[in-house]
């Protein structure tokens, strides 16, 4: 025993003698510069004062902290002098106890954290009341939280003033997404049927349909109106087939009779299904201004995120467009529709009671639109697309979000056709999406500019058209570069959705102000803000975690 | 087309069309005139090499041939199709003209196989099976069929350039443009790429190459062009070009590159 102790002491002394130099130690840690000396002295005094103070308040815990800290120092020293190696000692030495000032800081922060954790624990748990029915001021403990308000106001926090008898519709939405998300996860993770094209397309269809499902469940379908309106059918059909023709022309989709039949049937089937759901009375309309709480936050944030991304992409590509003049496929449809509209309204009106031949000729003025369009298309060489995109981006970025939201609510009605009113929530979502899209556009443009020119050259040289070039070569790479920025923008959109409380929508923050003005819950701000803080943090954390995971996954094969 | 003239080549007794016709091509970068009236005719099956010091406009010229650069004045006619603002003409020419770049310009986010099949599937509208079969044929042809599943970042420079050649060939073009294909390669990898190029020249592809490889120019080219200051100063058969240069700047250029 004595021999072992003796040899250890010898070893330590020997090691210290060989590996430790007081002069260097002092210079590195204290006397290196007068700034360092002053800093260490101040830190030492502050730590000492705090220790003495805490010793008076929590003697046991403070002693424990000091003991733990001292053991840590011993371990770190043993590690530093190569007396005894351990993973803990190594970690402590590199991370917490690497110098005198860091060692002092570690103690200081341990003490502060303990005091903080102690008071939070006291407030949130020890002195807190949890009874849902004991929230009146006389039942509250002034030193503790009254968590009963969360349970008592649960429905308000979750759905706002959504009709309580229709809560099953919200639950159905939640179950729908849990099932869909869970199943997609299982299929993707476990790889079950993941190779089956059919299974994958079924999931895609369900995800694409999910906004419609949410809308039908939460907003409902009105039953009134004609069962089938021929004009809506025809207009919808023209839009659908026009899209089909455009995509085919741009070689996004291949032509087959089967797909043509599918596209043709899409609108009538969707339209009739919609009317049938309305007629069935299963989902009577609910006023969307009753939406609120977490539900509204999620609806606004998700819609803004989903809308702003494609909008931002279009704006970013538009700003870099090199198309000169106005493409014929924009100018001719617009000109022809304007001409037909002019002929059917103005011309017929004048021709009904012409006063002379001159007026008979003048009546056909809409034909000039065609001439004008022809001249414009032949002569105009300005870059309209880039100019418009830049103007939209710069305007939206130059205006505060709140202003845009107010503009959406107050000014949008002026631009709407008569008889159609826009619910505040849609106006807000639209304005907010534009705001987010402008920033998104600049982010994506950054990604586009980061790509070497050779990528564009190679895509051109192998004969891809511009849409294919974007879809296969440019966007996959550019978007990968800007994932961190885009996710940051998404998180920002999610958190800033609380700003819509200012324009009177009762999302999470708005609902909290409603709750605390309720006499029963008067003044219970802290509990509610802590609660929604946790909700926002969870949402943001999940998004940033997912983005980091995505970055690692997409890093495969990077140059 | 009147622009597509046919001539009988006395040496082989076959009709050889003029595939590339450039007439008085001018190209400006803003105020700077990069090409000052260049005229060149390339016959089907010929290998033409463009030489010249850096900044002479040779890369610009070859890039103008598939409209990666837009020329201002003059005509460029490929296979009887005039290059102009008409997108359909440009698309048709790009289908028939393949290009290999100095920096390879492979798509780093796609595998080698995807790089090679992208254009056949989306531009030629071939089925995936047919495209992959053709891609495999060309990858075997350039000697790297085993790399099909890898990403470009996992290959050496020489292998990357051979993938780039396979990607170009997979579109089955008639004309191949090489823009300094060996300049970014380590010396020991230059040969593997030059060998592939020489084979292609022997197989009857119409080739236009900008290169500094004098051995390739002398041994493989049917026709050599010397450019400087955006102009063609001399063009001739290889032997005459190297042994008996007439232009002073060409003489200087040759003395510099042959003596270093």
């Amino acid at each position: 025993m004595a021999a072992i102790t003796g040899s250890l002491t010898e070893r330590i002394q020997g090691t210290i003698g060989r590996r430790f130099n007081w002069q260097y130690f002092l210079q590195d840690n204290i006397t290196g510069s007068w700034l360092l000396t002053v800093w260490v002295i101040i830190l030492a005094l502050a730590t000492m004062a705090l220790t003495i103070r805490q010793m008076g308040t929590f003697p046991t815990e403070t002693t424990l902290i000091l003991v733990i800290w001292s053991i840590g120092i011993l371990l770190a020293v043993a590690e530093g002098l190569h007396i005894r190696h351990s993973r803990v000692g190594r970690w402590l030495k590199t991370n917490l106890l690497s110098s005198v000032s860091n060692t002092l800081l570690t103690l200081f922060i341990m003490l502060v954290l303990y005091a903080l954790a102690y008071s939070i624990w006291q407030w949130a748990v020890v002195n807190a009341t949890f009874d849902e029915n004991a929230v009146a001021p006389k039942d509250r403990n002034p030193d503790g939280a009254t968590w009963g308000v969360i349970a008592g106001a649960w429905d308000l926090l979750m759905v706002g003033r959504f009709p309580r008898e229709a809560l099953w519709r919200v639950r159905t939405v939640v179950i729908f997404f849990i099932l869909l998300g869970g199943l997609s996860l299982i299929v993707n993770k476990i790889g079950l049927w993941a190779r089956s094209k059919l299974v994958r397309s079924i999931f895609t269809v369900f995800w694409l349909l999910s906004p419609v499902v949410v809308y039908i469940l939460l907003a409902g379908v009105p039953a009134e109106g004609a069962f089938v309106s021929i004009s809506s059918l025809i207009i919808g059909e023209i839009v659908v087939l026009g899209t089909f023709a455009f995509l085919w022309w741009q070689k996004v989709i291949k032509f087959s009779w089967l797909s043509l039949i599918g596209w043709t049937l899409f609108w009538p089937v969707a339209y009739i299904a919609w009317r049938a759901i309305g007629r069935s009375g299963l989902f009577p309309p609910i006023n969307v201004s009753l939406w609120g709480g977490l539900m509204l936050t999620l609806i606004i944030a998700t819609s803004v995120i989903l809308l702003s991304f494609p909008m931002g992409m279009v704006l970013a590509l538009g700003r870099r467009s090199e198309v000169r003049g106005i493409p014929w496929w924009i100018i001719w449809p617009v000109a022809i529709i304007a001409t037909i509209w002019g002929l059917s309204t103005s011309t017929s009106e004048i021709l009904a009671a012409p006063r002379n031949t001159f007026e008979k000729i003048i009546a056909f003025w809409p034909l000039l639109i065609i001439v004008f369009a022809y001249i414009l298309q032949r002569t105009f060489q300005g870059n309209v697309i880039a100019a418009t995109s830049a103007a939209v981006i710069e305007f939206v970025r130059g205006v505060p979000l709140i202003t845009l939201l107010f503009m959406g609510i107050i000014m949008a009605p002026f631009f709407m056709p008569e008889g159609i009113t826009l619910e505040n929530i849609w106006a807000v979502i639209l304005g907010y999406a534009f705001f987010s899209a402008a920033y998104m556009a600049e982010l994506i443009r950054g990604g586009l500019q980061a790509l070497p020119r050779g990528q564009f050259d190679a895509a051109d040289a192998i004969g891809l058209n511009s849409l294919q070039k974007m879809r296969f070569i440019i966007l996959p790479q550019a978007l990968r570069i800007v994932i961190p920025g885009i996710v940051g923008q998404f998180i920002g959109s999610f958190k800033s959705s609380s700003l819509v409380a200012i324009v009177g929508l009762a999302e999470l923050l708005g609902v909290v102000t409603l709750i605390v003005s309720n006499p029963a819950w008067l003044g219970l701000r802290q509990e509610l803000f802590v609660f929604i803080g946790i909700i926002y943090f969870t949402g943001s954390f999940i998004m940033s975690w997912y983005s980091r995971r995505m970055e690692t996954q997409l890093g495969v094969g990077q140059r | 087309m009147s622009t597509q003239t046919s001539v009988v080549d006395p040496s082989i007794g076959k009709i050889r069309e003029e595939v590339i016709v450039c007439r008085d091509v001018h190209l400006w970068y803003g105020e700077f005139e990069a090409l000052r009236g260049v005229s060149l005719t390339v016959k089907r099956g010929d290998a033409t090499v463009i030489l010249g010091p850096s900044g002479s406009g040779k890369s610009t010229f070859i890039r103008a041939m598939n409209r990666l650069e837009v020329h201002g004045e003059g005509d460029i006619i490929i296979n009887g199709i005039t290059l102009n603002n008409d997108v359909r003409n440009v698309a048709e020419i790009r289908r028939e003209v393949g290009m290999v770049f100095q920096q390879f310009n492979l798509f780093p986010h796609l595998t080698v196989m995807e790089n090679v099949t992208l254009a056949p599937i989306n531009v030629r509208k071939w089925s995936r099976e047919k495209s992959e079969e053709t891609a495999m044929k060309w990858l075997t042809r350039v000697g790297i069929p085993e790399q099909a599943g890898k990403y470009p970042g996992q290959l050496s420079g020489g292998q990357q350039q051979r993938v780039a050649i396979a990607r170009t060939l997979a579109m089955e073009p008639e004309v191949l443009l090489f823009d300094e294909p060996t300049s970014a390669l380590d010396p020991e990898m230059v040969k593997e790429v030059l060998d592939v190029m020489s084979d292609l020249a022997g197989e009857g592809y119409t080739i236009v190459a900008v290169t500094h490889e004098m051995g390739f120019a002398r041994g493989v080219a049917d026709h050599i062009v010397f450019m400087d200051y955006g102009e063609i100063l001399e063009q001739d058969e290889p032997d005459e070009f190297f042994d008996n240069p007439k232009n002073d700047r060409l003489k200087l250029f040759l003395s510099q590159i042959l003596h270093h």
Side-chain angles (χ1 to χ4, degrees):
Chain A
M1 188 70 203
I4 298 170
T5 329
S7 74
L8 188 64
T9 327
E10 261 168 44
R11 254 178 77 193
I12 290 172
Q13 278 170 349
T15 325
I16 290 175
R18 258 185 292 116
R19 300 186 200 269
F20 192 74
N21 187 320
W22 277 106
Q23 239 177 336
Y24 288 161
F25 179 80
L26 280 179
Q27 198 175 0
D28 283 350
N29 286 285
I30 298 165
T31 58
S33 74
W34 66 268
L35 213 64
L36 182 66
T37 319
V38 171
W39 163 239
V40 170
I41 291 171
I42 291 174
L43 196 62
L45 288 176
T47 312
M48 219 163 0
L50 186 68
T51 316
I52 292 164
R53 209 189 100 108
Q54 297 294 74
M55 205 54 122
T57 330
F58 325 104
T60 334
E61 293 90 330
T62 311
T63 318
L64 194 67
I65 289 174
L66 280 173
V67 170
I68 294 172
W69 179 66
S70 314
I71 294 174
I73 293 177
L74 286 179
L75 282 173
V77 168
E79 179 73 27
L81 296 176
H82 301 276
I83 296 167
R84 193 182 151 75
H85 292 287
S86 71
R87 191 176 286 179
V88 184
R90 189 189 179 84
W91 184 85
L92 284 169
K93 188 183 160 287
T94 41
N95 292 299
L96 293 179
L97 308 165
S98 55
S99 68
V100 169
S101 67
N102 281 352
T103 310
L104 287 171
L105 261 182
T106 301
L107 177 62
F108 191 89
I109 289 168
M110 277 167 92
L111 290 170
V112 169
L113 278 183
Y114 179 76
L116 210 63
Y118 178 82
S119 49
I120 290 175
W121 176 254
Q122 290 289 317
W123 177 79
V125 180
V126 178
N127 295 329
T129 53
F130 295 89
D131 189 353
E132 186 183 332
N133 300 310
V135 291
K138 65 174 169 52
D139 303 320
R140 295 179 197 166
N141 182 344
D143 296 328
T146 310
W147 292 119
V149 63
I150 307 285
W154 183 258
D155 284 354
L156 264 176
L157 281 168
M158 291 300 119
V159 298
R161 288 176 294 144
F162 197 81
R164 293 298 181 262
E165 70 276 4
L167 274 184
W168 66 271
R169 288 161 68 166
V170 181
R171 295 200 184 101
T172 314
V173 169
V174 174
I175 292 170
F176 173 79
F177 277 113
I178 290 177
L179 276 181
L180 188 55
L183 283 176
S184 321
L185 211 67
I186 289 171
V187 166
N188 280 330
K189 269 276 170 219
I190 308 178
L192 211 58
W193 316 297
R195 289 184 157 267
S196 155
K197 212 172 174 182
L198 181 71
V199 173
R200 270 184 295 152
S201 26
I202 288 174
F203 273 106
T204 315
V205 167
F206 267 103
W207 277 114
L208 287 176
L209 275 180
S210 60
V212 183
V213 172
V214 171
Y215 186 86
I216 290 175
L217 278 163
L218 296 185
V221 187
E224 69 268 18
F227 185 68
V228 175
S229 137
I230 298 296
S231 63
S232 333
L233 268 181
I234 291 174
I235 291 171
E237 199 61 39
I238 290 172
V239 172
V240 170
L241 289 181
T243 315
F244 177 77
F246 180 78
L247 293 179
W248 174 43
W249 174 56
Q250 282 292 317
K251 295 182 177 171
V252 177
I253 50 176
K254 283 182 190 171
F255 181 85
S256 76
W257 288 108
L258 202 67
S259 69
L260 179 62
I261 292 169
W263 279 75
T264 316
L265 287 180
F266 168 76
W267 180 248
V269 169
Y271 183 81
I272 288 167
W274 180 260
R275 300 305 309 169
I277 291 171
R279 281 289 165 104
S280 73
L282 278 174
F283 309 103
I286 291 171
N287 190 345
V288 292
S289 62
L290 294 177
W291 289 0
L294 179 60
M295 182 180 92
L296 183 57
T297 296
L298 289 179
I299 289 173
I300 292 177
T302 319
S303 322
V304 166
I305 286 172
L306 292 181
L307 283 174
S308 67
F309 185 63
M311 282 161 74
M313 211 143 79
V314 168
L315 284 174
L317 295 178
R319 196 168 187 173
R320 281 172 61 92
S321 161
E322 281 164 9
V323 177
R324 295 269 148 192
I326 309 172
W328 62 267
W329 48 270
I330 292 179
I331 207 163
W332 285 117
V334 170
I336 288 168
I337 289 170
T339 311
I340 292 173
W341 181 77
L343 285 173
S344 63
T345 54
S346 166
T347 308
S348 55
E349 197 176 302
I350 299 173
L351 281 184
R355 275 173 296 184
N356 49 40
T357 325
F358 180 64
E359 278 201 355
K360 273 186 195 165
I361 299 166
I362 283 290
F364 288 96
W365 67 267
L367 291 177
L368 285 176
I369 296 177
I370 299 273
V371 178
F372 180 67
Y374 178 77
I375 295 169
L376 197 66
Q377 209 228 330
R378 288 310 292 260
T379 57
F380 183 69
Q381 287 295 308
N383 193 338
V384 191
I385 300 175
T388 317
S389 308
V392 169
I393 291 171
E394 295 308 332
F395 170 72
V396 173
R397 288 207 309 167
V399 173
L401 175 55
I402 293 292
T403 318
L404 269 185
L405 296 183
F406 274 116
M407 268 171 62
I409 287 180
I410 297 167
M411 290 174 62
F414 293 118
F415 302 113
M416 300 302 288
E418 239 169 276
I420 296 177
T421 52
L422 191 64
E423 283 289 344
N424 279 357
I425 170 173
W426 307 131
V428 161
I429 287 179
L430 214 61
Y432 195 177
F434 257 107
F435 180 80
S436 203
Y439 284 90
M440 193 73 74
E442 291 297 274
L443 276 172
I444 295 175
R445 193 164 67 96
L448 293 174
Q449 277 168 353
L451 282 190
R453 179 166 179 211
Q455 293 291 310
F456 293 83
D457 286 348
D460 283 336
I462 61 172
L464 300 179
N465 67 25
S466 21
L467 217 63
Q468 291 170 331
K469 176 169 69 170
M470 283 300 153
R471 181 165 143 223
F472 296 120
I473 309 301
I474 306 305
L475 285 179
Q477 296 185 68
L479 293 182
R480 182 181 304 173
I481 297 172
V482 294
I483 284 176
I486 287 181
V487 175
Q489 183 68 31
F490 283 172
I491 292 175
S493 298
F494 172 55
K495 290 186 300 183
S496 307
S497 67
S498 54
L499 278 174
V500 306
I502 293 175
V503 293
L505 293 186
E507 50 65 74
L508 265 182
L509 191 73
V511 120
V512 165
T513 43
L514 274 182
I515 294 171
V516 293
S517 56
N518 183 319
W521 296 313
L522 206 60
L524 293 173
R525 280 208 177 78
Q526 291 162 332
E527 293 80 357
L528 290 162
F529 281 128
V530 166
F531 180 70
I532 64 170
I534 292 171
I535 292 181
Y536 277 119
F537 178 80
T538 315
S540 310
F541 185 79
I542 289 173
M543 278 195 264
S544 67
W545 169 79
Y546 189 74
S547 98
R548 257 177 293 146
R549 221 184 62 138
M550 201 155 67
E551 278 174 58
T552 351
Q553 279 176 352
L554 290 179
V556 185
Q558 265 285 42
R559 207 185 335 221
Chain B
M1 288 248 172
S2 59
T3 53
Q4 196 171 354
T5 49
S6 301
V7 290
V8 177
D9 186 332
S11 62
I12 51 173
K14 278 187 197 161
I15 290 178
R16 299 219 296 177
E17 300 151 2
E18 295 171 345
V19 182
I20 302 175
V21 179
C22 301
R23 276 195 299 248
D24 195 27
V25 176
H26 292 257
L27 190 147
W28 285 269
Y29 293 121
E31 292 293 301
F32 174 68
E33 190 172 6
L35 296 181
R36 309 157 175 251
V38 182
S39 300
L40 177 71
T41 303
V42 179
K43 296 198 192 80
R44 189 177 303 284
D46 268 6
T48 303
V49 164
I50 304 180
L51 295 177
S54 65
S56 57
K58 54 195 192 308
S59 272
T60 306
F61 184 37
I62 200 173
R63 286 165 61 84
M65 288 181 195
N66 65 352
R67 211 163 183 81
L68 293 182
E69 307 289 348
V70 178
H71 63 279
E73 281 174 21
D75 299 319
I76 299 180
I77 300 151
I78 315 270
N79 243 349
I81 307 161
T82 308
L83 261 184
N84 52 19
N85 279 324
D86 191 331
V87 189
R88 280 161 298 184
N89 283 4
V90 176
E92 202 169 328
I93 285 173
R94 282 176 179 167
R95 272 200 292 274
E96 302 306 328
V97 177
M99 186 157 197
V100 176
F101 300 89
Q102 181 178 3
Q103 299 294 341
F104 329 136
N105 295 348
L106 293 178
F107 307 126
H109 62 300
L110 301 176
T111 62
V112 166
M113 181 52 99
E114 288 164 342
N115 262 285
V116 181
T117 54
L118 185 68
I121 291 175
N122 292 293
V123 181
R124 285 258 186 250
K125 299 287 170 192
W126 291 347
S127 70
R128 178 169 296 278
E129 292 71 38
K130 184 182 176 193
S131 306
E132 290 190 349
E133 210 173 289
T134 324
M136 220 47 210
K137 184 181 90 188
W138 287 116
L139 286 174
T140 315
R141 178 74 180 64
V142 297
I144 40 175
E146 72 284 356
Q147 312 287 0
K150 288 192 184 167
Y151 285 91
Q154 297 165 298
L155 306 182
S156 74
Q159 288 173 327
Q160 288 194 41
Q161 192 59 296
R162 284 188 282 161
V163 173
I165 293 175
R167 176 177 73 180
T168 306
L169 292 172
M171 278 292 282
E172 304 194 337
E174 293 185 32
V175 180
L176 292 174
L177 307 177
F178 289 91
D179 187 4
E180 303 200 27
T182 54
S183 299
L185 295 175
D186 289 339
E188 73 270 24
M189 292 171 183
V190 170
K191 188 178 175 300
E192 62 190 48
V193 172
L194 285 181
D195 286 347
V196 173
M197 288 170 64
S198 310
D199 290 352
L200 293 173
E203 282 164 27
Y205 283 95
T206 309
I207 289 177
V208 181
V210 171
T211 182
H212 295 298
E213 298 298 330
M214 290 304 144
F216 177 82
R218 189 153 200 164
V220 180
D222 301 294
H223 195 74
I224 299 187
V225 175
F226 176 71
M227 283 183 75
D228 201 0
Y229 302 114
E231 288 169 293
I232 291 182
L233 297 179
E234 184 155 347
Q235 45 179 318
D236 218 329
E237 312 269 299
D239 292 338
E240 185 69 9
F241 183 92
F242 283 108
D243 300 336
N244 195 6
K246 294 165 194 77
N247 184 285
D248 288 339
R249 262 184 278 171
L250 174 57
K251 283 178 195 162
L252 182 68
F253 177 75
L254 287 178
S255 71
Q256 278 166 346
I257 51 171
L258 296 177
H259 289 122
H260 73 89

